[in-house]
Amino acid sequence: MTKLAVGAILAVALVTASHTAASPPGAIYIDPLLYNVVGANYTEWRNSSAIGFNPTNSTPPFIQVFDPSFLDVTGPSATIREIASNPGFDFAHEAPIYVPDLNLVFFSNTGGGTLTYSGWYNNSVVSMINMTLVDEALARTTGNVNIQVQTLNLSDNVQMVNGGTGPYRGDLLFVTAGRALLPPSIVRVNPSPPYNTTVILDNFLGRQFNSLNDIKILPGTDIMFFTDPPYGWLNGYRPEPMLPSQVYRFDPSTGQVRVVADQFVNPNGIAFTPDGKTAFVTDTGVFGGFLETNQTFPATIYQFDVEPTTQSFMNRRVFAYSDSGAPDGIQLDTKGNVHAGCGDGIHVWNDEGTLIGKFYLNSTASQLIFTKSGLVILAETAMYVVNIQARGMTLATL
């Protein structure tokens, strides 16, 4: 065993011992000082961001701590437990929305295939999971559970759902990537049967968007902000983009749509601080669809000031760069910590952009959402819940 490996084990043991009373079960502590210099003979070099950083070779899923302040996020009893699974099918990929009054989480799977202008054979599917049933099942065991998810039968004008937020005036708010010539759109969906839908935006002054990806409401307003990368084209189900990759602002009361930020490769997730003064936008430029992965492109969260009058995004700066995959969906807790779905699980940064911990799955976790039960993680072929202490913005008053 190398001196580095011995040092790592000792550091984990010492830090774990010093935080025993407040540490979640099985939490693994990583001392960054041990890995600042590893030398030419280090055997764990990562040549690809698809490989997660797990220097202790711990068995996932587990809670990985880079800074003791992460314990304020997790609390002393947090565990990562699987709540739904469908191996071989990416049923849990995008657009998580939690409706507290119903205790339901809505979400979508991936869609894909070959672009055909006569139609599309593989639309995404919107589903939901009942968190009351999840809580009841988890209370009966210390292990994992597999709760059946329910598929919604939505209108044909809701194609390739990729982002969501809400509740918005009692409804779900989805953005779609469109398919073939069917335009990307913002859609309101009733969260109760028959799940009727209303498209409220599908163009920018007569020009189709590229492929809408994610959406959030500016706190304290009804103003919608959404991202528009060219992923429909990159993944073969939309025409070549005719607009830059941008972030838009939409005021549904006036119908006004305008650009608030640009100069992205593939803008993806979006979020605001609780006071609405700061915005975060993720750029998953590293993933290029048929252009393939380019690890020199962004896997980055950018931070902006929201101009009080115009609500344009100002003073762009790098907030964080993900070491694994790229930050997709992004959520903030009430303490200002930033949670994002990345290539090996959920990464959490404090409000200064320091990585303080991960919910380590060793697999892609594109999206996440805070619920009364804890943090729900969408990990493609599985869903997890972590009963953390931190709370999401929308749950602060519940």
Side-chain angles (χ1 to χ4, degrees):
M1 183 177 293
T2 66
K3 291 182 179 179
L4 181 64
V6 173
I9 292 172
L10 290 175
V12 170
L14 288 173
V15 179
T16 301
S18 66
H19 293 280
T20 299
S23 300
I28 303 296
Y29 290 82
I30 306 296
D31 183 356
L33 288 170
L34 291 174
Y35 299 95
N36 293 151
V37 178
V38 295
N41 295 324
Y42 184 56
T43 60
E44 303 297 330
W45 288 108
R46 299 165 60 207
N47 296 321
S48 169
S49 68
I51 302 171
F53 184 57
N54 182 11
T56 58
N57 292 315
S58 302
T59 302
F62 63 91
I63 294 171
Q64 195 176 57
V65 182
F66 289 88
D67 187 276
S69 63
F70 191 45
L71 300 180
D72 294 330
V73 174
T74 66
S77 59
T79 56
I80 304 175
R81 301 172 70 182
E82 190 175 275
I83 59 173
S85 177
N86 191 349
F89 178 58
D90 293 345
F91 75 98
H93 180 64
E94 289 286 357
I97 305 173
Y98 177 58
V99 181
D101 291 346
L102 302 176
N103 206 19
L104 300 174
V105 173
F106 295 83
F107 58 94
S108 73
N109 74 326
T110 55
T114 303
L115 174 65
T116 61
Y117 290 95
S118 61
W120 181 251
Y121 64 86
N122 188 14
N123 185 23
S124 66
V125 176
V126 175
S127 303
M128 68 179 182
I129 188 169
N130 188 321
M131 295 306 297
T132 299
L133 297 180
V134 169
D135 292 340
E136 291 172 351
L138 291 176
R140 294 192 293 266
T141 179
T142 58
N144 299 326
V145 298
N146 193 3
I147 302 302
Q148 183 69 37
V149 302
Q150 179 181 338
T151 298
L152 278 62
N153 184 21
L154 299 183
S155 168
D156 286 342
N157 62 13
V158 184
Q159 298 281 336
M160 307 301 285
V161 169
N162 201 87
T165 193
Y168 174 78
R169 298 183 179 178
D171 286 343
L172 312 175
L173 198 62
F174 287 124
V175 292
T176 76
R179 70 167 190 177
L181 296 181
L182 187 69
S185 60
I186 302 177
V187 186
R188 288 181 64 170
V189 178
N190 189 325
S192 300
Y195 309 113
N196 49 297
T197 65
T198 304
V199 176
I200 60 175
L201 179 69
D202 70 359
N203 73 95
F204 176 67
L205 299 176
R207 299 171 67 184
Q208 286 195 14
F209 295 107
N210 297 326
S211 290
L212 302 191
N213 192 282
D214 204 358
I215 186 169
K216 288 291 196 311
I217 305 298
L218 183 68
T221 76
D222 282 337
I223 310 299
M224 305 173 189
F225 291 76
F226 57 92
T227 59
D228 186 36
Y231 273 124
W233 173 63
L234 291 172
N235 291 318
Y237 58 86
R238 281 281 295 156
E240 187 173 350
M242 300 296 289
L243 288 166
S245 294
Q246 302 179 131
V247 180
Y248 294 82
R249 172 192 184 273
F250 173 51
D251 184 346
S253 67
T254 65
Q256 291 286 343
V257 186
R258 62 183 179 84
V259 176
V260 294
D262 63 1
Q263 299 184 22
F264 298 95
V265 179
N266 295 320
N268 199 310
I270 185 169
F272 294 96
T273 52
D275 60 11
K277 294 181 179 180
T278 305
F280 299 85
V281 179
T282 71
D283 191 334
T284 52
V286 63
F287 298 131
F290 73 83
L291 298 178
E292 300 183 347
T293 296
N294 185 333
Q295 293 191 125
T296 68
F297 278 18
T300 306
I301 303 175
Y302 294 99
Q303 186 180 46
F304 302 83
D305 297 326
V306 180
E307 204 284 325
T309 303
T310 66
Q311 297 172 345
S312 290
F313 289 6
M314 311 289 289
N315 303 322
R316 172 190 175 119
R317 62 269 190 190
V318 171
F319 174 76
Y321 173 83
S322 171
D323 71 284
S324 178
D328 190 333
I330 183 172
Q331 303 284 349
L332 271 67
D333 64 31
T334 55
K335 302 296 184 182
N337 299 303
V338 176
H339 304 239
C342 297
D344 55 10
I346 303 299
H347 296 192
V348 182
W349 295 268
N350 66 15
D351 58 4
E352 296 178 348
T354 298
L355 180 68
I356 59 175
K358 298 181 182 181
F359 300 109
Y360 192 94
L361 306 177
N362 199 36
S363 63
T364 297
S366 295
Q367 288 282 351
L368 62 153
I369 193 72
F370 286 94
T371 73
K372 296 176 186 177
S373 306
L375 186 69
V376 171
I377 301 172
L378 276 60
E380 312 297 347
T381 61
M383 294 179 69
Y384 298 85
V385 67
V386 193
N387 54 320
I388 63 174
Q389 183 171 270
R391 307 193 79 192
M393 289 169 45
T394 57
L395 300 176
T397 58
L398 295 180

